[in-house]
Amino acid sequence: MKKLNVLFGIICLLGIAAPMLIQHGKLMTVRGLEGYVEPDTTKLSYSWWNGDLQKRLENAATDSLLIYPACVRARNQFEYAFFGKLNATDVYAFDGYFYRFMYPDYNERDEFLGETKINATVQRLKAIQEQTKLPVYVVIAPNKMRYYSEHLPEINRVHSDTTNYTFYKRALQKAGIEVLDAHAWHLRNKKANEIPILAKEGVHWTLYAAAITMDSLIKRLRSDLSVDFQGITMEVTPKHEVYKEDVDLANLSNLMYRPVDKRLRNVYFPEPIEQKRRMRPVVIGDSFYHVIEWSGIHHQLFQPETPFYYYFHTRYTNGPSMEAVKMEILQEDLKQADCIIILTDIQNMSRFGFGFIEQYPL
Amino acid sequence: MLFSSGFFLTYFLPLVIILYWLAPKSFRNPLLLIASLFFYAWGEPLFVFLLVAVTLLNYLLVHRMHLSQKPKHWLIGYIVVNLSLLVAFKYVNFLVATTAGLLGWTHPGDDPLTNIALPLGISFYAFHAITYGVDVYRGTFAPQKRIDQFFLYLFLFPHQIAGPIVTYQHIAHELEDRKLDWENLTKGLYRFCIGLGKKVILSNGLIALIKVCNEQQAAGFDSTTMAMVEMVTYTFHIYFDFSGYSDMAIGLARIFGFHFPENFDRPYTARSITEFWQRWHMSLGHFMKHYLYIPLGGNRVKAGRLYFNLFLVFFLSGLWHGASWNFVLWGVYHGLWLIIERLWLRKVLDKMGWTAGIWTFIVVLNGWVLFHEVSFADAVSTYTQLWSFDFQPLPLVDNLFYFKALLGICAGLIVLEYLKPLRGIRERWLTLQGAAWQTGRFAWMFAVYLISYSYVVAGSYNPFIYFNF
């Protein structure tokens, strides 16, 4: 018994000293965390007497530890496994599906803007289309809460047709504005899709879903504008492989054992054999377009200078550099554009156009 | 420095334990003293000098008292020094604000008298010092000749910040000579880990729930149901927080060969308020009984004086907990229940059996409202809500299952303390020898430490999805 006490005692000593030994012996490296922002210590001096030095050392003993990412993951895994709790702002998991903006009381029906406002917005968009002489294409991205509604708690399910989605779609079609309802299309093909359109662990559509949606859009544009634009050339990896952004919510949740849908495949966009003219739209969209902006789809389909107005507050073009939206630059962009694409998730239809429709001078 | 801080767990504790084990016997006390002074100076880099000076003065005063023909005068001086420290740093703000309020004065907010920072652990330091001086005066023991041991008694880091209040007599022989063995190390660490788990997994989770309750109340979801949830949550929180801290202190002391007294003994299973105070913060109860209640005459006085003594003891006990009328009223609330129990209620409770436990729990629950709320007006508002019987469904909040589970676990742990057969299993779990049992306990300790350490280091890391957009 005494020997066992000695053995446990030695293990205890090594155990409590392990973080310190790992830190100073640089014994291991741990994969970094998603979404980590270093604590701001710039306002702290190095004085012992006012306690600033102690605060710096406290920070060093937590955030700067080599095993800090492992600790965060262990804590997160414990809480997820036992309580279903995810430690990332606004991220929730139900039935193994990760969602954003949902529980506790989100329901799309509560966001309804009213038919009058929706019609007025659509009429204004029509007027913009006529003034700029550019066709407007509205792409409605697949919505996770509707797509996987069977996995949602009852309170979050939509049982009403009085929603921005249905009213906007109807009003846009009535006004003669092109609508590509990718949500309805993907939902119809839900069972047929071998590769998920929306990953259980991601907030946005998968790169695969974005690619086939853009392929469909290009086909429509070719037909409408009578221009043979460059189309999508993609290859799917035969084995399970994950594109990082497809499982962004799981990544952000920083779990030890990241749940990953085995049906996921990565898609590649090889250089097309036959080079055709690439399209140059003005894109106004939400983060669903981000999936495209940083991928091979953008490079393959669009001219590098294609501007992306993110939520109509930031303008990206040709890479990650960004600038604030300016009306004179927008008008210059429109002069060189083939069309206007408004890409939106159903949940974002309460702010359809993200301010573009209201702010554009007619 | 807190026991549940990253620096303490990563650097301070492992270094002190390893150095302590490597040090020759004669170096161990000086090492612990240096570590304890560093521990205190970490949080109070300036005040530590004042406390060292006061400790020197205390040392001299006690020795002078011991040699004096009129020790009582020296004892009074000694107590005045230590209480002055407490009054100056803890109660001046309160006294100035109360006096100004009574006289109708408006005092500026930046008045230096009302902006004195409360040094860490001052209340515990003062009470430790008082027990030492009084016991020497009573002849319980001769004053410690070795100044380093006297300093070590008062500064010993496991009890420095939040107790338990350990009388000198309790650890006197261990200050002189104590065993350094693996059993103390493993048992001490086991107790420390359990305390750490209570603090960082349970208590800190309950704080988050209290915050959610307050947010919902501010958003207009105030009802009796909500007020009850907050009251119950705070009741569990304060127990797991304070008893967790005491477990950590007792465990740390054990690692270094000291045996501290227990501070909690299943308080929420008490069947009367009298019994509750024999189970809750027992070291404070011991202090109040032996250094205040008994000197006032204890039970051997007339009924009127006895009730006055009880009232005074609990009035001062409330005031000791914090310089605010809420704490005083909390003390008085308990004091009054004690008097009522002495008058007639105790006989009724004795006949009620286990239901007396429920009654006592309800009384304690209501008392915590005074302790929890920041002002008397807030407490009145909560009581109004609690007793309005305006039961409303609770709003849906984030992480609802987590909070329900947390409350369920805490309630379950308290029920486990209540049920005798389960208590027996717990006792057996802690005491059974044999390789399998020891390995089981070790594995449990390891898991709790791993999770608790992860909680401490991970802190409030909670990324936002759009960090990269």
Side-chain angles (χ1 to χ4, degrees):
Chain A
M1 208 56 64
K2 203 173 176 185
K3 278 182 186 167
L4 207 58
N5 264 334
V6 174
L7 176 68
F8 287 151
I10 291 168
I11 296 172
C12 282
L13 280 180
L14 287 172
I16 58 166
M20 185 174 59
L21 297 174
I22 290 167
Q23 184 72 10
H24 296 282
K26 305 218 181 306
L27 297 179
M28 62 188 282
T29 50
V30 181
R31 184 164 46 93
L33 294 169
E34 291 285 327
Y36 176 68
V37 180
E38 280 216 30
D40 180 16
T41 53
T42 51
K43 286 177 187 161
L44 294 173
S45 68
Y46 284 88
S47 168
W48 166 268
W49 306 109
N50 64 6
D52 278 4
L53 180 63
Q54 290 91 315
K55 282 178 199 156
R56 277 182 182 275
L57 291 169
E58 284 283 0
N59 269 339
T62 53
D63 292 42
S64 306
L65 279 184
L66 284 177
I67 57 162
Y68 174 70
C71 289
V72 171
R73 288 201 184 92
R75 188 268 314 251
N76 291 352
Q77 189 68 50
F78 174 77
E79 293 197 334
Y80 180 61
F82 287 95
F83 308 117
K85 180 174 180 262
L86 290 173
N87 289 307
T89 305
D90 280 343
V91 179
Y92 305 93
F94 269 98
D95 208 10
Y97 287 76
F98 288 51
Y99 299 92
R100 188 178 171 236
F101 281 151
M102 185 195 57
Y103 202 72
D105 53 4
Y106 176 83
N107 194 298
E108 195 191 308
R109 66 170 185 269
D110 303 328
E111 305 278 304
F112 183 55
L113 297 168
E115 194 173 3
T116 314
K117 183 167 169 41
I118 288 171
N119 285 338
T121 308
V122 170
Q123 287 310 311
R124 199 173 157 81
L125 181 62
K126 192 181 177 189
I128 293 170
Q129 181 174 253
E130 283 163 3
Q131 194 190 71
T132 57
K133 296 188 175 56
L134 287 172
V136 174
Y137 289 84
V138 174
V139 181
I140 301 172
N143 177 255
K144 195 166 185 182
M145 291 180 68
R146 282 175 171 257
Y147 196 81
Y148 289 125
S149 65
E150 69 273 25
H151 298 285
L152 283 179
E154 184 57 35
I155 192 164
N156 298 123
R157 293 186 193 178
V158 185
H159 296 295
S160 167
D161 275 339
T162 314
T163 60
N164 296 323
Y165 167 55
T166 47
F167 273 71
Y168 261 120
K169 188 177 167 184
R170 199 182 306 152
L172 286 163
Q173 285 169 336
K174 203 173 161 190
I177 294 170
E178 288 292 331
V179 179
L180 181 68
D181 187 354
H183 172 73
W185 181 49
H186 287 307
L187 196 61
R188 275 198 302 275
N189 298 320
K190 190 175 174 182
K191 283 183 183 165
N193 280 325
E194 286 180 7
I195 302 172
I197 295 304
L198 288 147
K200 283 160 79 174
E201 309 84 4
V203 68
H204 302 113
W205 52 9
T206 56
L207 191 59
Y208 170 75
I212 56 173
T213 306
M214 282 298 126
D215 188 46
S216 175
L217 178 69
I218 290 287
K219 281 174 185 157
R220 193 179 292 189
L221 278 159
R222 277 181 191 152
S223 155
D224 291 352
L225 305 180
S226 306
V227 180
D228 190 17
F229 291 118
Q230 182 73 55
I232 287 267
T233 310
M234 72 171 170
E235 283 176 20
V236 181
T237 52
K239 286 186 180 171
H240 168 65
E241 193 181 318
V242 178
Y243 176 59
K244 195 177 166 231
E245 296 303 323
D246 286 356
V247 291
D248 50 5
L249 289 185
N251 286 336
L252 195 73
S253 300
N254 290 306
L255 299 168
M256 282 168 82
Y257 302 103
R258 191 177 53 188
V260 172
D261 192 333
K262 293 286 178 202
R263 296 175 306 149
L264 281 172
R265 298 283 180 279
N266 203 352
V267 283
Y268 296 101
F269 303 93
E271 203 61 37
I273 299 163
E274 190 189 352
Q275 296 289 342
K276 293 179 181 170
R277 193 193 149 204
R278 289 189 285 171
M279 185 172 44
R280 180 165 175 171
V282 165
V283 182
I284 296 146
D286 53 23
S287 49
F288 275 70
Y289 191 78
H290 254 294
V291 174
I292 295 166
E293 174 80 2
W294 312 121
S295 74
I297 305 176
H298 189 272
H299 174 74
Q300 207 172 65
L301 295 184
F302 302 127
Q303 291 177 24
E305 298 79 19
T306 297
F308 166 40
Y309 287 82
Y310 176 56
Y311 282 104
F312 204 63
H313 62 53
T314 309
R315 178 180 180 271
Y316 290 96
T317 179
N318 204 12
S321 61
M322 58 175 126
E323 58 184 329
V325 170
K326 287 183 188 142
M327 207 46 74
E328 56 273 23
I329 295 176
L330 171 69
Q331 280 170 334
E332 204 55 43
D333 284 338
L334 289 170
K335 277 180 200 165
Q336 297 176 51
D338 295 313
C339 65
I340 299 168
I341 297 173
I342 297 176
L343 195 154
T344 180
D345 174 30
I346 289 173
Q347 273 178 270
N348 277 330
M349 288 186 98
S350 57
R351 42 181 175 160
F352 179 68
F354 310 106
F356 162 69
I357 300 166
E358 292 81 3
Q359 289 171 39
Y360 186 81
L362 284 172
Chain B
M1 204 185 309
L2 297 172
F3 297 156
S4 54
S5 72
F7 190 83
F8 180 84
L9 295 174
T10 309
Y11 292 106
F12 185 87
L13 185 61
L15 280 175
V16 173
I17 294 178
I18 291 166
L19 290 175
Y20 186 82
W21 271 69
L22 294 174
K25 198 173 178 183
S26 57
F27 279 62
R28 284 178 196 150
N29 274 357
L31 176 75
L32 270 187
L33 179 58
I34 292 165
S36 298
L37 286 169
F38 176 78
F39 180 88
Y40 194 75
W42 183 268
E44 297 292 349
L46 295 172
F47 189 74
V48 67
F49 294 107
L50 178 65
L51 220 57
V52 167
V54 171
T55 310
L56 268 173
L57 183 63
N58 280 339
Y59 178 78
L60 295 172
L61 282 172
V62 169
H63 276 269
R64 192 69 191 79
M65 175 178 74
H66 187 60
L67 299 171
S68 170
Q69 297 299 316
K70 292 179 178 174
K72 199 169 189 175
H73 293 144
W74 289 100
L75 178 69
I76 291 167
Y78 177 84
I79 291 173
V80 165
V81 166
N82 287 287
L83 286 182
S84 302
L85 197 69
L86 204 55
V87 170
F89 287 98
K90 191 168 177 178
Y91 298 110
V92 162
N93 296 354
F94 175 60
L95 291 172
V96 170
T98 305
T99 312
L102 285 173
L103 299 174
W105 295 343
T106 50
H107 57 89
D110 56 353
D111 181 352
L113 272 180
T114 53
N115 279 306
I116 298 168
L118 179 66
L120 287 169
I122 182 100
S123 308
F124 287 93
Y125 174 88
F127 274 24
H128 275 101
I130 288 169
T131 62
Y132 179 82
V134 171
D135 284 347
V136 170
Y137 170 78
R138 286 171 174 167
T140 312
F141 49 78
Q144 173 59 259
K145 285 181 186 161
R146 289 185 56 177
I147 194 165
D148 58 332
Q149 291 201 5
F150 178 68
F151 264 76
L152 184 57
Y153 164 63
L154 287 177
F155 277 95
L156 195 59
F157 77 86
H159 71 54
Q160 205 178 74
I161 307 295
I165 301 164
V166 185
T167 59
Y168 177 79
Q169 201 182 356
H170 196 95
I171 55 166
H173 67 285
E174 288 170 343
L175 281 167
E176 301 279 345
D177 183 30
R178 55 191 180 274
K179 257 171 72 180
L180 178 71
D181 64 19
W182 294 103
E183 194 185 347
N184 273 341
L185 177 75
T186 48
K187 286 193 172 169
L189 272 174
Y190 183 88
R191 188 73 187 266
F192 177 78
C193 290
I194 298 301
L196 188 66
K198 279 184 181 177
K199 166 71 188 149
V200 300
I201 301 172
L202 300 179
S203 169
N204 288 0
L206 294 171
I207 293 177
L209 177 54
I210 291 169
K211 202 176 152 202
V212 169
C213 288
N214 292 336
E215 283 166 3
Q216 293 299 322
Q217 283 163 337
F221 289 103
D222 211 357
S223 65
T224 302
T225 331
M226 181 62 85
M228 285 176 92
V229 169
E230 191 184 355
M231 180 173 69
V232 171
T233 306
Y234 186 75
T235 301
F236 290 160
H237 156 69
I238 195 164
Y239 173 55
F240 286 105
D241 196 82
F242 196 12
S243 74
Y245 194 91
S246 294
D247 285 337
M248 285 191 272
I250 293 166
L252 284 171
R254 181 82 187 262
I255 290 169
F256 301 105
F258 292 98
H259 290 76
F260 279 7
E262 290 298 328
N263 220 13
F264 291 87
D265 178 20
R266 300 173 286 118
Y268 291 150
T269 65
R271 292 184 178 191
S272 67
I273 293 298
T274 312
E275 194 187 332
F276 174 76
W277 280 103
Q278 287 159 1
R279 294 174 177 276
W280 178 272
H281 201 175
M282 289 147 69
S283 66
L284 177 70
H286 181 268
F287 177 91
M288 287 294 176
K289 184 179 173 187
H290 292 276
Y291 299 90
L292 187 60
Y293 183 68
I294 291 175
L296 285 169
N299 294 339
R300 295 172 186 172
V301 287
K302 286 182 181 172
R305 178 61 196 256
L306 174 74
Y307 301 139
F308 173 76
N309 287 351
L310 278 173
F311 182 85
L312 184 67
V313 165
F314 276 87
F315 177 92
L316 292 174
S317 169
L319 191 61
W320 178 83
H321 279 86
S324 152
W325 283 111
N326 276 31
F327 292 114
V328 173
L329 286 170
W330 173 77
V332 168
Y333 171 85
H334 278 271
L336 289 175
W337 277 112
L338 244 78
I339 292 168
I340 294 167
E341 282 182 5
R342 290 244 175 189
L343 284 168
W344 59 272
L345 187 61
R346 191 64 194 265
K347 287 174 191 161
V348 179
L349 291 174
D350 286 346
K351 288 175 189 165
M352 281 170 67
W354 63 271
T355 53
I358 294 171
W359 162 261
T360 307
F361 187 64
I362 291 168
V363 172
V364 172
L365 271 175
N366 280 277
W368 287 130
V369 172
L370 287 163
F371 202 90
H372 170 45
E373 298 295 349
V374 287
S375 71
F376 183 61
D378 287 348
V380 170
S381 161
T382 303
Y383 281 126
T384 311
Q385 200 59 255
L386 275 170
W387 295 101
S388 66
F389 298 103
D390 171 28
F391 293 101
Q392 301 283 342
L394 290 168
L396 283 168
V397 295
D398 294 348
N399 300 317
L400 190 62
F401 177 73
Y402 167 66
F403 290 130
K404 280 182 183 172
L406 207 57
L407 277 178
I409 290 168
C410 292
L413 288 172
I414 286 163
V415 171
L416 282 182
E417 291 184 336
Y418 198 83
L419 300 172
K420 215 172 176 179
L422 295 173
R423 232 165 42 226
I425 293 171
R426 182 173 164 261
E427 287 303 314
R428 282 207 296 281
W429 163 253
L430 289 174
T431 51
L432 271 175
Q433 295 300 316
W437 287 103
Q438 274 190 298
T439 310
R441 280 198 294 268
F442 181 77
W444 171 239
M445 175 182 85
F446 188 74
V448 172
Y449 185 77
L450 208 66
I451 294 164
S452 305
Y453 183 80
S454 299
Y455 265 74
V456 169
V457 172
S460 59
Y461 176 69
N462 192 6
F464 180 55
I465 178 72
Y466 276 5
F467 74 95
N468 57 354
F469 292 137

